[in-house]
Amino acid sequence: MPLDTARVTDDLNVLLGNAPVDARANLMNDAYGPMVDSAPTLGAALRASREFQGLDLEDLAQSTRIRKNYLSALEDMRLEDLPSRPFTLGYVRSYAKALGLDPEAAVARFRMDAPEEDQALRAPVGVRRERDPRLSLFVGAGVIVVIGVVAWNVAQHQINLDSLGKPAPTQIAQSSAKVAPPPSAAPTGPIHVDASLPAPAESTTPQPYETPGLHKTDGVSSEPPASAAPATTDAVVAAPTPFVASGRVYGAPAGAGTVILQATKPASLVIHGADGVVYFGRELAPGEAYRAPALRGITIDVSEPAAFNYFVGGQLKGQLTGLDTPLSKLTGAN
């Protein structure tokens, strides 16, 4: 029976490094079992397998598309130089697959060598995190504005407190004065109301004429005795009051008319002719007057009779008594 030397020759080629990489990896796994358990750590097992196959990190970096420094950190189990754990597990699978090892067995060995800790995922190594400098500027400006508003409110509050606590100058001047006693309580009984006062006299009413010698002097009356008094009751006769212009005089020129109407307070005056023609119409102010022309059939129409005094021949005769007054009635009273 011939001796089968094919397997011995293949193993010899693997040991001498003459076989292809894939063939060497398969023969190595078939002959020696999974290499992920042949070293103290997974990283040491990956390095031994790589060196046994005659590969360097540059070759594996090109075939796995993994950085050379990450492969070196994985072989040395420098976990702080590796990215977050999900990325690292992917690197372990790719590295083991490139060496012809079982990827899942390599991941299980890595998890046994580096148990997962309950911590947040780290950012991938090499990523640079920068903050927008404008953000700090905006935050600083906002803080300054808030501090300014708070300081202004505190200052205004303090000023108001000081103004409330400081007495006014008038209060200081009155502090030395005697404080008036409080008013007595309002009466609770019935309130007595005095009789109403008479209405004040018109300001344009002339003062009554006093006959000289009739006023009392030193308690002694100069009036004649009652027996010497005349029989008539009009013992005192008032002197006539002449017309005095205290404002503008409308109507006929001086000397052309005998009747003058003078307003004592604002009121309207309308002069009608016999045929209804209006000769004059105006609201007169206090002191203004109207001189009626010497015509027949004239009627005086006023808004308030008591607001007009009428003069005949330059002397006061009294007030008008009606809203419509014929001019002849006033001249006939003379």
Side-chain angles (χ1 to χ4, degrees):
M1 181 177 182
L3 181 63
D4 184 7
T5 60
R7 182 60 181 268
V8 176
T9 305
D10 291 338
D11 291 343
L12 181 59
N13 290 330
V14 169
L15 294 177
L16 295 177
N18 297 325
V21 175
D22 294 338
R24 283 181 288 163
N26 293 332
L27 291 175
M28 177 184 60
N29 291 336
D30 294 341
Y32 305 105
M35 295 297 294
V36 295
D37 298 330
S38 61
T41 62
L42 174 64
L46 294 175
R47 179 186 292 107
S49 177
R50 175 180 60 80
E51 292 177 351
F52 181 80
Q53 298 181 40
L55 302 174
D56 55 9
L57 292 178
E58 189 68 29
D59 297 335
L60 290 176
Q62 293 180 1
S63 62
T64 58
R65 299 294 189 273
I66 301 175
R67 293 182 181 181
K68 180 179 178 180
N69 55 343
Y70 288 168
L71 297 177
S72 176
L74 185 60
E75 290 180 354
D76 296 336
M77 294 301 289
R78 290 183 279 106
L79 303 181
E80 64 276 3
D81 295 337
L82 294 172
S84 59
R85 192 172 183 86
F87 287 96
T88 303
L89 295 178
Y91 295 164
V92 170
R93 288 189 178 92
S94 299
Y95 197 0
K97 187 176 180 180
L99 294 176
L101 303 177
D102 186 1
E104 299 303 326
V107 170
R109 176 64 190 274
F110 177 81
R111 288 176 176 174
M112 182 179 61
D113 294 342
E116 185 176 3
E117 299 178 358
D118 295 335
Q119 60 182 1
L121 298 178
R122 291 180 296 172
V125 178
V127 177
R128 185 177 181 182
R129 303 178 63 182
E130 296 181 354
R131 296 180 60 184
D132 190 353
R134 294 177 296 179
L135 179 61
S136 301
L137 180 61
F138 292 154
V139 173
V143 172
I144 293 175
V145 171
V146 171
I147 293 175
V149 171
V150 172
W152 185 83
N153 289 332
V154 172
Q156 290 295 323
H157 182 67
Q158 186 64 33
I159 291 174
N160 293 335
L161 291 179
D162 295 341
S163 61
L164 292 176
K166 184 178 180 180
T170 55
Q171 296 178 354
I172 297 175
Q174 295 177 0
S175 60
S176 59
K178 183 177 180 181
V179 179
S184 58
T188 57
I191 300 176
H192 299 281
V193 180
D194 296 336
S196 60
L197 297 177
E202 290 289 343
S203 60
T204 58
T205 303
Q207 297 293 333
Y209 177 76
E210 295 182 3
T211 304
L214 294 181
H215 59 280
K216 295 181 180 181
T217 304
D218 296 335
V220 180
S221 176
S222 61
E223 295 180 358
S227 59
T232 180
T233 57
D234 297 334
V236 179
V237 179
T241 303
F243 169 73
V244 178
S246 56
R248 185 173 180 180
V249 179
Y250 299 94
T258 59
V259 177
I260 300 175
L261 303 172
Q262 188 176 32
T264 59
K265 56 184 177 180
S268 61
L269 172 66
V270 181
I271 304 299
H272 298 277
D275 53 356
V277 178
V278 176
Y279 291 101
F280 179 80
R282 187 182 183 90
E283 182 175 355
L284 300 183
E288 293 183 343
Y290 175 78
R291 184 179 290 107
L295 300 176
R296 293 182 179 182
I298 291 181
T299 303
I300 302 171
D301 185 3
V302 295
S303 60
E304 185 178 355
F308 289 92
N309 291 333
Y310 71 95
F311 299 79
V312 179
Q315 302 297 324
L316 176 64
K317 296 301 181 180
Q319 296 178 344
L320 297 179
T321 58
L323 297 177
D324 295 329
T325 306
L327 182 62
S328 59
K329 181 179 179 180
L330 299 181
T331 57
N334 190 6

